[in-house]
Amino acid sequence: MTVTDTAHAADPERATLAKAADENFPVAPFFLPRDWRTDLMAVYGFARLVDDIGDGDLAPGGADARLLGVPGDRADDRVLMLDAFEEDLRRVFDGADGPPRHPLLRRLAPTVRRRSLTPAPFLGLIAANRQDQLVARYETYDDLLAYCELSANPVGHLVLAVTGTATPERIRRSDAVCTALQIVEHLQDVAEDLGRDRIYLPAEDMKRFHVREADLAAPTANASVRALIAYEAGRARDLLNEGAPLVGSVHGRLRVLLAGFVAGGRAALHAIAAAGYDVLPGPPKPGKVRLLREAGLVLRGEG
């Protein structure tokens, strides 16, 4: 274990928040008002930790389990950890059983009060990770969209709630963007997900393109896999285009933030295309220049 690993094991809150730098999109960039940055990082800390629990990617040493009151010998029980995390989340909203135990949820509590947030988006993210423990394949695209309603769309709802800009139309556009970003991430992570025995490519599409699960385990993608990835990338691009008017519906620094979300998805799709839709050697990642170019196009209403 490195010195950094040891430090993160002792401070799981810092370990989780540090992952913001690796996301496809800006989490709480410097140009936002300080109170927005504080609250968005609190929301991110929750979302990142629940995903890490569901994926088994917690900091080493079992500190998160101890904080949630889970015995050390059960720390690898993801369902139990998610149950304990949900119980701690409820302390954020009702406080009947005292304050939250986990520091990331203690960080979240003032944000919930300040922004009048409701439990629903947080519970949706937990439900998505529970589903990951039970469902490893998706038969249809509609099945995948239903999963994204839990795993991705709540994040957009929370961003709009934190910034005080939620309306039914903005939520609809946000859902399209968030679902697109989730699909893009699945496309980037096909090989990694397969290593977890998960496939987020709809089975009906795999059959249509004559792709077998064994094809996804190859070092590089064959023509059928590339065609499938290109098809799913097109769907994600259509969703981003559907959601992009969200950016023009707001003003100021929030407009720049939301443009960053859309641009992050478009830049990632460009990276996937530039790799010839061969995502199996590893996740194609966009460069900063491409990301800035896409952000400029989104802000100008182009692309």
Side-chain angles (χ1 to χ4, degrees):
M1 183 180 292
T2 67
V3 173
T4 301
D5 288 338
T6 301
H8 283 176
D11 188 355
E13 179 182 16
R14 186 175 65 176
T16 300
L17 295 176
K19 295 180 180 181
D22 297 326
E23 301 292 349
N24 273 340
F25 48 84
V27 173
F30 71 93
F31 57 78
L32 294 179
R34 179 176 295 180
D35 60 332
W36 281 12
R37 295 201 310 269
T38 297
D39 291 338
L40 289 171
M41 281 304 295
V43 167
Y44 173 79
F46 173 92
R48 183 69 267 166
L49 181 58
V50 73
D51 279 354
D52 286 348
I53 292 173
D55 290 340
D57 285 340
L58 293 172
D64 292 292
R66 290 192 296 274
L67 287 165
L68 295 172
V70 174
D73 61 350
R74 302 288 303 280
D76 292 334
D77 186 332
R78 299 179 192 179
V79 173
L80 179 62
M81 286 286 290
L82 289 168
D83 289 346
F85 193 54
E86 180 175 332
E87 182 179 348
D88 209 29
L89 173 68
R90 295 192 183 280
R91 296 185 182 98
V92 172
F93 287 93
D94 59 40
D97 191 26
R101 296 175 179 176
H102 199 287
L104 285 170
L105 291 181
R106 291 198 295 272
R107 175 189 287 260
L108 180 65
T111 292
V112 165
R113 293 192 297 270
R114 187 161 46 240
R115 306 297 180 183
S116 300
L117 303 182
T118 64
F122 301 101
L123 293 173
L125 294 172
I126 293 175
N129 279 276
R130 281 206 187 92
Q131 185 165 313
D132 276 334
Q133 312 313 310
L134 302 172
V135 180
R137 307 289 190 275
Y138 290 86
E139 181 62 30
T140 69
Y141 183 62
D142 285 344
D143 292 338
L144 184 63
L145 293 181
Y147 169 73
C148 291
E149 287 180 11
L150 298 173
S151 67
N153 297 1
V155 175
H157 298 180
L158 288 166
V159 169
L160 293 175
V162 163
T163 57
T165 55
T167 66
E169 176 63 11
R170 285 179 180 145
I171 288 172
R172 185 180 74 81
R173 299 286 190 183
S174 171
D175 286 350
V177 171
C178 290
T179 292
L181 292 176
Q182 180 75 88
I183 291 172
V184 169
E185 184 176 332
H186 290 330
L187 297 180
Q188 291 175 307
D189 294 341
V190 167
E192 179 182 335
D193 289 335
L194 187 63
R196 303 179 194 275
D197 191 32
R198 297 178 190 165
I199 297 177
Y200 294 102
L201 301 167
E204 65 177 8
D205 296 342
M206 291 178 63
K207 293 173 186 174
R208 175 182 172 185
F209 285 89
H210 307 289
V211 172
R212 302 167 302 162
E213 290 193 12
D215 296 328
L216 303 180
T220 59
N222 61 28
S224 295
V225 171
R226 291 173 189 246
L228 171 61
I229 298 299
Y231 177 71
E232 304 299 349
R235 281 176 152 172
R237 188 174 297 106
D238 289 344
L239 283 169
L240 281 175
N241 291 341
E242 179 184 340
L246 171 67
V247 176
S249 76
V250 299
H251 304 283
R253 287 176 278 190
L254 177 59
R255 189 163 178 257
V256 178
L257 175 68
L258 298 184
F261 293 156
V262 176
R266 287 180 172 170
L269 286 171
H270 180 269
I272 291 170
Y277 300 101
D278 184 1
V279 297
L280 299 188
K285 296 286 188 179
K288 289 184 179 179
V289 172
R290 184 73 198 194
L291 180 58
L292 290 172
R293 178 185 173 190
E294 292 290 351
L297 291 172
V298 173
L299 286 169
R300 294 195 297 271
E302 302 173 11

